[in-house]
Amino acid sequence: MITITHLDKHFDRLHVLKDISLNVKPGEVLVLCGPSGSGKTTLLRTINGLETIDSGTITVDGETVDPKSREIRRQRQGIGFVFQQFNLFPHLSVIDNITLAPRKLKGLTRDEAEARAMQLLDRVGLRDKRDVHTDTLSGGQQQRIAIARALAMEPPVLLFDEPTSALDPEMVGEVLSVIRELAQDGMTMLCVTHEMGFARDVASRIIFMADGRIVEDTSPGQFFSAPESARARAFLQDILGH
Amino acid sequence: MIEILQTYGMQLLIGGFPHTPLGGLALTVILAVSGLVLAMPVGLLMAVPLRSRFRPVKALAELIVFYIRSVPLLLHVLWVYFLMPAIIGVSFPPAITMLITLVLFNGAYISKIVVAGIDALPRGQTEAALSLGFGRVQTMRHIILPQALRNMLPSLVSQLSLLIKETALGAAIGATEATQTFLDLADNLPGQAIQVYALLALAYFALCYPLLLIGRRLERCVGKAQKIATEPAS
Amino acid sequence: MTLIEFLSGRYGELLLKGLIVTLQLSGVTLAASFVIGVVLTLIRLSPLWIVQQAVGLLVDAIRSVPLLVHVIFWYFGAPELLPDGLRMWLYARDVNFICAAVAISIYAGAFISEDLRSGLRSIPRGQSEASLSLGFSGFETFRYIILPQAFRITVPPLLGQAMTLTKNTSIALMIGVPELVYQARRIQDITYEPLMPYASATLVYVVICALLTLASRAYSRTALSHRTEPERTPATREQSA
């Protein structure tokens, strides 16, 4: 589904991604973790063409992703992205946030788009928020709307960039349970997160990154019980607080 | 244009000085700088009632500032020029009239800048100072004002360039600042009037554009410092 | 003589004529300066570095010169540069009003373009990223996501510019446009008494500014009230004289 080969990227002099290769099969849920500055968010953003790359290739569904090509817009429609800061459109109501892209990009009528949006609102448990302004919602609600907005384009792949990092602790659960249900439905997903309990339950693979490299690519069971690298052991110790 | 500068450059710079009072660009700069220097304390003083917790005082101060800001500067100039003598019996030369008007007018604007600068600081600053045992006045003097003044610096620099432009209205009452001086010269050189106007515009550009750039640079610096101070490192 | 008596006589009539000229000049220049501001802003969005810099410098240069000097240039200087036919056409009309309107529109247009630009720049990057990630093009992102938000936060500064512009039309008296302050001065020349005419003119400006301030507050309350986070209002660029 997603194939990345020998990917390299610099920010000025900083080498943020070093020779990354990765293969994601349909229905897999990958959790990307690692210390801050390890390049996991940048890697996720390159898959959506939000960052340019220096060398290497990214293909999604057999097509090369290149932010400078004309195809990038059509490709992005098939790669949903959920941001750490939600980035809902504050000048639009909840329903318009969800329906804008399907109406303008897929040519759906307002009725079609809204019918579909209502199903998505049901799915994220926010049917009653249909007409409110996004700024009146809590962080957890905003993030669930952002997930619905990404799903409205019916993408085969969803990318999550630390979807719960900007949330108050009591709202983390409601967002994770939405993502969990998507995983059960067989959605292909890549998720950058520090929620290790969630990773253990939901991930089919854990990708551990440090200093711009993939250090471990393994099953959750393996990763949490017997991590191979010293970096991963140190990371787990810090984050789990043993 | 070079020719005009060679012949009349001195006149444009200082007017008829020393035979007449100082004029020309020199008067423009002196009016603007002294206007700002005097308007600062006026603005700080006016900021006190604007932040008063006693409602009638605050409302009155707001009303005065609103009045000053909603009337054209030109009309203020005419008020001071024609009515001050009628009310207090003393008439001032045009340049002094201009200075008085500029101080009051800019004092009102600066008072708003001061209030905005103070309100922009996080409440935690006041609370931290109070919790250490500082009094209200001490907190203002040692903790709040130094920070607020630093944040205000870009606005004050732009205020100076506004003052330079505002002095041009002195021409309305015959103050011999730059615009009046150049206009007089244009009258004497009918064939070259356009060149004189172009020189006048260039002179203001040379004075104000650097201030604009400095103000912009300061804004970036202050903005960055503010960001570091208020945003938690993630 | 009370203000009411003063205003009900022939002086009131003169002041009313002045007010009408002030409102006409304000209306014309407000519309024209908005168009100029939008055009300048759109040109500045050009991807060409040299175009951005050139327009930026032009805007800064216009803002660096006092409005009075702009007015003097357009009235005393510019017509001489015109071809004869056009100049004859101009002088056959209300040349003072036209030249003042041109000067004020260009001056205010430069300030408005700054407001619009800082409005555009105040929209967080995440907004365009979210839009791009859904598959919108750069133009569609600008049209559906950036522009509507920028417009909403630019309305209060624009009302502020309208206020400043209205006050600035008084500078047109320097080239003999018979607006409000011009008429007040004329009455003073007739009666040798400054208080009544200036008080009347002052009152009119205070009322105009009060109305515009109320409009701005009402707008902020209704259009921006649902915001919980602090509004990122771009700094207003005061036009001054």
Side-chain angles (χ1 to χ4, degrees), chain A residues 122-153:
Chain A
D122 271 340
R123 199 159 165 187
V124 299
L126 291 170
R127 187 180 185 88
D128 55 324
K129 299 294 184 192
R130 181 198 145 100
D131 291 314
V132 308
H133 259 292
T134 56
D135 293 357
T136 60
L137 299 173
S138 73
Q141 291 170 331
Q142 290 197 43
Q143 193 60 297
R144 281 144 72 195
I145 301 294
I147 295 172
R149 178 177 72 180
L151 288 173
M153 292 303 284

Side-chain angles (χ1 to χ4, degrees), chain A residues 72-92:
Chain A
I72 188 67
R73 289 171 49 199
R74 188 181 45 73
Q75 291 170 347
R76 277 174 174 155
Q77 295 179 23
I79 312 169
F81 200 101
V82 176
F83 296 84
Q84 182 178 356
Q85 298 292 343
F86 333 134
N87 294 339
L88 290 181
F89 303 133
H91 61 302
L92 302 177

Side-chain angles (χ1 to χ4, degrees), chain B residues 12 14 24 29 32 38 49 56 63 72-73 75 78 84 96 104 108 126 139 146 157 170 192 203 226 231-232:
Chain B
L12 296 176
I14 58 173
V29 172
L38 295 172
L63 201 67
L73 178 60
L75 197 45
L78 295 175
M84 282 275 275
I96 301 296
L104 292 175
T126 308
T139 300
V157 172
Q192 295 167 287
Q226 186 109 326
E231 268 182 18

Side-chain angles (χ1 to χ4, degrees), chain C residues 131-183:
Chain C
S131 170
L132 292 175
S133 81
L134 287 168
F136 284 110
S137 70
F139 176 76
E140 286 164 339
T141 297
F142 183 74
R143 158 89 181 70
Y144 295 122
I145 306 300
I146 307 298
L147 202 59
Q149 293 186 57
F151 182 73
R152 278 157 37 123
I153 55 176
T154 313
V155 166
L158 285 182
L159 283 170
Q161 298 292 6
M163 202 144 90
T164 312
L165 179 142
T166 307
K167 292 192 287 168
N168 276 349
T169 57
S170 62
I171 287 173
L173 88 81
M174 300 290 283
I175 57 166
V177 176
E179 49 71 66
L180 190 57
V181 183
Y182 177 96
Q183 296 290 12

